[in-house]
Amino acid sequence: MAEISWKDIHQCAFKLGEMVRIPTVSKAEHEDLTEFYRFHKVLEVHFPQIHQKLEKTVLNGSLLYLWKGTGSGEPILLMGHQDVVPASDEGWSVGAFSGEVRDCRLYGRGALDCKGTMFAELQAIEELLEEGYVPCRDIYLAFSINEETGGDGAAAIMRHLKAQGVRLAMALDEGGAVLDKAVDGMDKPYAVIGVTEKGYMDVKITARGKGGHSSTPPRNTPAARLFAFAAEIERKRPFKKKLLPVAEAMLNAMAPSFPKPLGFFLKHTKLFRPLLMTVMPMVSPFGEAVLQTTCCFTMMEGSSAANVIPKEPYLVAKLRTSVHQSCEESLAVLQKYADKYDLELTVLLQRDASPVSDLNSEAYKHLTALIREHFPEAGVAPYMLMGGTDCRHFHTLTDSALRFSPVRMTAEQSASCHGVDENVTLQSLVEAVVFYKDLIKRFPQ
């Protein structure tokens, strides 16, 4: 554990508090970026060494910094994002953008997701610059403006680097952390490193019919066909189940923290694969999501009046597609059931799952070794993200696109990221700064 001083605590509270107080709600590149440029000014004030000594490129509000190294090794890219999801003060114990400190925790939208990570990366490099340290390889910092909305900010940074012929030794983004209870039932914290992330699709399912008045309803109305379709998908869970090697590696690594007999089964996944594939979906939604594409119905619309049968009601389904079942293949599964109920499918948005990063790479081994050293009480495991991060854009530039912030989180804190009272402990930020400094200085030559 990093040695904590009141100076470090005060510095974290002051700088991150200033960052949180700028409401950088996610934007498209063509929208008003005033708050983001205000945020850039705050960064210039609090990280002067970085802004004096590093090359800075601004791409429609997204930031890219280059710290030139002395050697020719492939660069490291440290990532985060400037934007946050919207927040009102409703339900919060403090102002949503107050950056207020209570009981050594800093509260505010973005404190964890993702300005806390941004602060720790920037502060680590600021301190190394003050110490006169010069890296042996180039170090990049990249912070997009629209990660939360899946915008083009990170992709623009990737294209900029690719055009310059940059190949990365590692891209390290948010997405994993040191979680107090990564999965229910575990007996110790786990540092989970995201090595892939599921894809996603938004699919509109429309039922067409004649409509009419509710006083003389026909059978098999458009809405009834939609509901029957949704109920069958919900009941059958028709997508292909597969226990991927990355999932096996995760379960094997986490096995020692579970009581017997579950821990024994997880340690010997090859022996008990059929049993696990049957039981995991029953144990938790997470267990099911590890094995297959998931489908959740999130939006719907019918008629505008209670006594009118809608002519074209629709549902919207959110699919999180598996590494082993692409968007196209997952859509084909839905189409089979849609045809049964005479429904029309329209894809609104889609992205396939990202490739799985190499668990045998020097970057992954270095990261896991550092985690074990800095967080000796925690287990370490690879992880399949169910959501999305900017890191997915950088698989074309590296075999080690990894997702991990060296920040301790309780389950409550993790759940607050897009909810009320988002907060981070100041001690965990100090530890994160020390971790990033070590990561840079000790990266394999």
Side-chain angles (χ1 to χ4, degrees):
M1 181 182 294
E3 184 177 341
I4 305 299
S5 72
W6 282 110
K7 178 183 176 183
D8 294 329
I9 293 288
H10 176 76
Q11 190 164 234
C12 287
F14 182 62
K15 291 188 177 184
L16 181 56
E18 291 283 289
M19 293 167 67
V20 167
R21 280 187 275 277
I22 306 295
T24 50
V25 176
S26 194
K27 299 282 188 180
E29 291 84 347
H30 63 277
E31 294 181 317
D32 182 7
L33 302 180
T34 300
E35 296 296 347
F36 287 89
Y37 289 119
R38 282 183 60 211
F39 184 67
H40 295 181
K41 293 296 184 184
V42 168
L43 299 184
E44 290 172 12
V45 170
H46 292 305
F47 305 101
Q49 293 290 320
I50 285 175
H51 288 86
Q52 291 170 19
K53 298 178 181 178
L54 272 61
E55 293 180 19
K56 175 184 171 184
T57 303
V58 182
L59 301 169
N60 293 319
S62 294
L63 293 170
L64 178 66
Y65 297 90
L66 169 59
W67 187 11
K68 293 293 293 181
T70 57
S72 58
E74 292 180 336
I76 298 170
L77 173 65
L78 300 180
M79 300 174 62
H81 57 90
Q82 306 169 60
D83 61 312
V84 299
V85 297
S88 68
D89 290 341
E90 184 177 355
W92 286 66
S93 61
V94 300
F97 291 97
S98 66
E100 185 174 329
V101 174
R102 290 186 180 181
D103 300 323
C104 287
R105 294 187 179 203
L106 189 144
Y107 287 78
R109 178 60 78 231
L112 276 175
D113 187 14
C114 172
K115 291 179 180 178
T117 295
M118 272 192 70
F119 161 77
E121 292 172 342
L122 289 163
Q123 183 64 24
I125 291 180
E126 185 76 7
E127 291 182 13
L128 288 173
L129 289 167
E130 290 172 352
E131 294 164 11
Y133 177 80
V134 180
C136 61
R137 65 179 71 228
D138 291 351
I139 308 293
Y140 285 97
L141 289 168
F143 307 119
S144 75
I145 63 166
N146 45 25
E147 188 269 356
E148 296 291 3
T149 55
D152 191 55
I157 293 171
M158 183 277 293
R159 291 192 296 268
H160 177 82
L161 293 175
K162 190 173 184 178
Q164 298 181 42
V166 173
R167 178 75 186 171
L168 300 169
M170 176 180 68
L172 183 62
D173 198 3
E174 52 133 10
V178 184
L179 300 178
D180 184 37
K181 289 184 179 179
V183 179
D184 288 342
M186 304 180 83
D187 65 359
K188 65 179 179 180
Y190 256 77
V192 292
I193 305 169
V195 294
T196 183
E197 53 192 62
K198 296 183 80 172
Y200 59 75
M201 294 183 76
D202 289 342
V203 181
K204 182 179 179 181
I205 305 108
T206 305
R208 303 189 189 280
K210 292 183 178 180
H213 198 279
S214 61
S215 61
T216 55
R219 294 183 182 275
N220 203 32
T221 61
R225 302 201 317 270
L226 273 181
F227 300 151
F229 165 82
E232 187 165 8
I233 296 295
E234 180 91 1
R235 184 177 68 255
K236 290 188 174 178
R237 304 292 216 257
F239 301 97
K240 182 169 60 180
K241 292 184 179 68
K242 187 174 183 180
L243 190 59
L244 297 168
V246 63
E248 289 196 59
M250 177 181 70
L251 297 175
N252 293 165
M254 291 180 171
S257 71
F258 285 99
K260 294 180 180 179
L262 179 57
F264 182 78
F265 292 151
L266 297 181
K267 185 65 177 176
H268 300 89
T269 50
K270 288 181 172 55
L271 183 62
F272 296 105
R273 184 182 283 109
L275 175 63
L276 288 169
M277 290 179 66
T278 300
V279 172
M280 283 173 60
M282 300 177 184
V283 172
S284 72
F286 176 79
E288 180 178 35
V290 166
L291 294 176
Q292 67 182 90
T293 292
T294 58
C295 177
C296 181
F297 299 100
T298 57
M299 300 172 67
M300 62 188 303
E301 184 170 305
S303 71
S304 58
N307 63 345
V308 175
I309 299 172
K311 291 193 297 183
E312 295 184 2
Y314 69 82
L315 295 170
V316 173
K318 168 68 76 172
L319 282 72
R320 299 285 183 175
T321 58
S322 178
V323 174
H324 65 270
Q325 193 163 31
S326 68
C327 288
E328 182 180 357
E329 293 167 334
S330 297
L331 184 65
V333 173
L334 276 191
Q335 188 68 61
K336 174 184 173 183
Y337 290 87
D339 291 343
K340 176 180 176 180
Y341 295 101
D342 191 22
L343 304 176
E344 177 184 304
L345 301 186
T346 305
V347 176
L348 305 177
L349 185 69
Q350 70 177 44
R351 172 184 65 78
D352 279 327
S354 68
V356 180
S357 292
D358 184 3
L359 302 188
N360 294 310
S361 70
E362 287 299 317
Y364 186 83
K365 291 176 181 177
H366 175 57
L367 184 60
T368 54
L370 276 183
I371 291 170
R372 290 191 173 97
E373 184 176 326
H374 284 255
F375 305 99
E377 78 288 3
V380 184
Y383 179 62
M384 180 190 301
L385 267 75
M386 304 305 160
T389 69
D390 280 338
C391 201
R392 68 181 182 273
H393 296 290
F394 292 87
H395 279 277
T396 58
L397 303 185
T398 180
D399 294 327
S400 298
L402 306 174
R403 301 141 178 98
F404 176 75
S405 295
V407 176
R408 300 176 191 271
M409 295 186 201
T410 63
E412 179 186 29
Q413 284 176 308
S414 179
S416 77
C417 283
H418 286 188
V420 300
D421 279 350
E422 182 177 348
N423 70 89
V424 62
T425 63
L426 298 176
Q427 174 175 312
S428 69
L429 289 175
V430 175
E431 292 174 347
V433 172
V434 175
F435 184 95
Y436 283 122
K437 291 173 71 173
D438 231 7
L439 178 78
I440 292 168
K441 290 193 291 186
R442 295 168 58 186
F443 199 86
Q445 301 300 313

